[in-house]
Every structure is written in C-alpha cells, then in structure tokens.
Amino acid sequence: MDFPFIQVLKSGILVELDYMHPQEQEVVRALLNVVIVEGKTYPQKQPLSPAEFSAYWLSQDAFVIRTSVEDATHKPKEILAAFYLKPNFPGRCSHICNAGFIVQPGLRGQGIGRFMGEAMLLIAANLGYEAVMFNLVFETNIPSITLWQSLGFEIIGRIPHAAKLGQQVVDALIMYRALG
C-alpha cells in the first residue's frame, strides 16, 4: 500500500492518512490525553505518560490524519486525528486485530472517523489480519456504534457495567467484523 492516502472530507478539508512520524508522537499523546480526560470513550482514568502512551499506542502500527501540504492555506501540517492497529490477542489468535481512534474535539462529525475506519479496514486486510474486534465500545458512544455498524461490524457481546463514567455505570459492547 502506498502512503499517504489523500482524501477530501465532506467539510472540504484536504487531508492525508499516513504512518505516524516520531516527531508527531507528542501531539498524538496530548490528543489521546484530552480524550481520556473527557472520560467518555477510553477506559484509562488518568492522562498517559510518554512511556505509558508508547506501550499502549505504539506497540504495532500507528497512523495519523493530518492536513495535507496541498492545502491552499500553506499552513504547517496539523494532526487532526489518529489511530492504532495491533493484534487483539497473541500467537494463534493474532490474526484478529484491534484498533483505537481519536479525533480532535472541534473536528468531530466531519467525516474523519469514517475516513479512518474505511482506511483501517483496508490497511488491516493488507497487513494480513482476518478480522477486527473492538473489546470495549461504551454503549453511550452512539457515534462510534453507528459508524462501526455502517461499516459492517456486528455486536457480538455485551459486558455489563463495564465502565464507570462519572456517576454513570454503562455496559460495553464487543464489536466484530471479518475482513475479506
């Protein structure tokens, strides 16, 4: 596969999807920490240190969505979103992958998540994975559930009372999609 992938979002923004570069790690860690502090979609309670981020996010393949250099404004490339892709299980089960996604808060709802999801499915198949499984999609995360179902994911399980989100305790869904 050739990177970067270039896409025009429904908002008209020209973006590229590429492997994360080392100099982008701190920006992605900061974005993940914003999402963690929001407390709505990730299980972590506290922001991640550089070492914790590296162990969690960088264990296999990590990607970013950035503004494209071809953007007419000629501003420096900016990280809009990111995702990781890694085996969900070791050894004999490593053909099933897992992925995690984050989008800058002010840019949600503009098609970045769908672009990442569609690209992730292609990349995962190209890397030899046979299926994608999300272990913890909180039932309150309607945008993600809707997106994944529209991309062919099925809910294959429910974990009762899986997440304590402030004063609310919610179930988590396990979502699955075979590739190819």
Side-chain angles (χ1 to χ4, degrees):
M1 297 184 83
D2 293 331
F3 290 93
F5 294 166
I6 306 292
Q7 176 87 18
V8 178
L9 301 176
K10 63 184 178 185
S11 61
I13 300 171
L14 187 66
V15 297
E16 61 184 38
L17 183 155
D18 198 3
Y19 276 97
M20 181 190 309
H21 299 150
Q23 65 270 24
E24 295 170 323
Q25 290 177 11
E26 190 52 36
V27 174
V28 174
R29 182 177 77 91
L31 174 56
L32 177 60
N33 284 336
V34 165
V35 173
I36 289 169
V37 170
E38 285 174 342
K40 296 176 184 172
T41 57
Y42 272 77
Q44 291 87 347
K45 279 186 160 184
Q46 302 296 324
L48 301 183
S49 70
E52 291 166 330
F53 171 76
S54 182
Y56 179 67
W57 199 269
L58 304 176
S59 66
Q60 197 77 24
D61 294 299
F63 302 89
V64 295
I65 305 293
R66 58 176 91 91
T67 52
S68 179
V69 72
E70 297 162 30
D71 187 306
T73 62
H74 299 292
K75 290 187 287 188
K77 292 182 181 185
E78 180 185 353
I79 302 295
L80 309 179
F83 69 97
Y84 66 78
L85 186 60
K86 60 187 175 185
N88 201 12
F89 307 105
R92 293 181 178 92
C93 302
S94 63
H95 59 282
I96 300 171
C97 67
N98 179 264
F101 301 81
I102 51 176
V103 178
Q104 293 281 0
L107 298 173
R108 295 175 186 157
Q110 297 187 28
I112 296 171
R114 176 166 295 280
F115 173 48
M116 284 195 294
E118 291 170 349
M120 177 276 298
L121 292 170
L122 292 171
I123 294 166
N126 194 268
L127 290 173
Y129 292 111
E130 296 173 22
V132 182
M133 183 172 147
F134 301 136
N135 307 318
L136 285 171
V137 181
F138 301 154
E139 67 180 352
T140 49
N141 190 351
I142 303 303
S144 285
I145 294 166
T146 303
L147 172 63
W148 300 127
Q149 287 181 320
S150 79
L151 292 176
F153 282 77
E154 293 178 65
I155 296 169
I156 61 166
R158 176 179 292 271
I159 305 167
H161 312 291
K164 296 177 179 178
L165 307 180
Q167 300 302 312
Q168 186 181 23
V169 178
V170 302
D171 292 358
L173 306 176
I174 302 168
M175 301 187 78
Y176 180 89
R177 183 184 189 274
L179 298 171

